[in-house]
Amino acid sequence: KPKPVMVPTVIASQRTAQKVGLRKPEAKKPPPASKKIQALFTNLKDGKACFDNKSAIFLDARLTEDYEAEHITGALWLCYESVEEDYDKVLGQIPKDRLLITYCSDQQCASAIKLADALVARGHTRVVIMLEGLPGWIDAGYPTSSGKEAGG
């Protein structure tokens, strides 16, 4: 009778495995995690640079009466509490990859953050929050306007 052939169940090393023509089992890679888009923060200086080169749309997240009293020149009004009702009117035709900068009253005001999160949830991919808000903008001597503007 022929002797039974013993098949090793464990390969001693990768080198041995290569010699006998076996490969080490590859570990299964987890599926790539989808990259979650998040709103980021920006500072006043970078916000002003975007204002100067017109590379962003500024969005005032404060109440409408505050917006009408004074806002960053050219900013549109979109309060986070009214995103559902006013989104199409204000940003409906804006490409989702356009840079949007949200701001509100100051660093303690959460409206700009809430608005930014709502915009990201609607598919916008480039949303930043300017924490210094309108007071920081005014203190720096940057341009402001009052009243309603187109889209505001």
Side-chain angles (χ1 to χ4, degrees):
K1 276 186 175 178
K3 291 185 180 181
V5 177
M6 301 284 284
V7 178
T9 56
V10 176
I11 302 294
S13 70
Q14 181 72 21
R15 190 175 187 179
T16 304
Q18 288 172 345
K19 280 183 183 177
V20 295
L22 299 175
R23 282 195 276 158
K24 186 177 176 182
E26 293 181 23
K28 286 193 174 190
K29 295 179 183 175
S34 60
K35 192 173 182 180
K36 185 178 180 207
I37 304 296
Q38 292 182 315
L40 304 174
F41 294 93
T42 192
N43 59 39
L44 198 57
K45 180 182 173 188
D46 290 343
K48 179 62 163 65
C50 292
F51 177 87
D52 289 342
N53 64 29
K54 298 178 180 11
S55 62
I57 295 173
F58 285 77
L59 295 167
D60 192 315
R62 301 172 305 141
L63 298 174
T64 187
E65 47 277 3
D66 295 330
Y67 170 84
E68 289 177 6
E70 188 171 22
H71 56 267
I72 293 173
T73 299
L76 304 177
W77 175 81
L78 185 60
C79 182
Y80 82 93
E81 292 175 345
S82 68
V83 170
E84 292 302 315
E85 303 87 57
D86 296 323
Y87 176 83
D88 287 336
K89 178 176 72 172
V90 178
L91 292 175
Q93 302 301 313
I94 303 298
K96 300 284 187 176
D97 63 349
R98 180 73 194 268
L99 178 59
L100 304 175
I101 299 178
T102 66
Y103 70 91
C104 57
S105 300
D106 56 40
Q107 292 185 13
Q108 283 72 45
C109 175
S111 297
I113 295 169
K114 291 176 182 178
L115 175 59
D117 289 344
L119 295 172
V120 167
R122 286 182 163 269
H124 289 274
T125 58
R126 298 177 63 214
V127 183
V128 296
I129 304 150
M130 190 172 68
L131 282 179
E132 295 90 345
L134 185 63
W137 189 269
I138 292 168
D139 289 348
Y142 299 155
T144 62
S145 300
S146 61
K148 288 187 175 186
E149 293 197 23

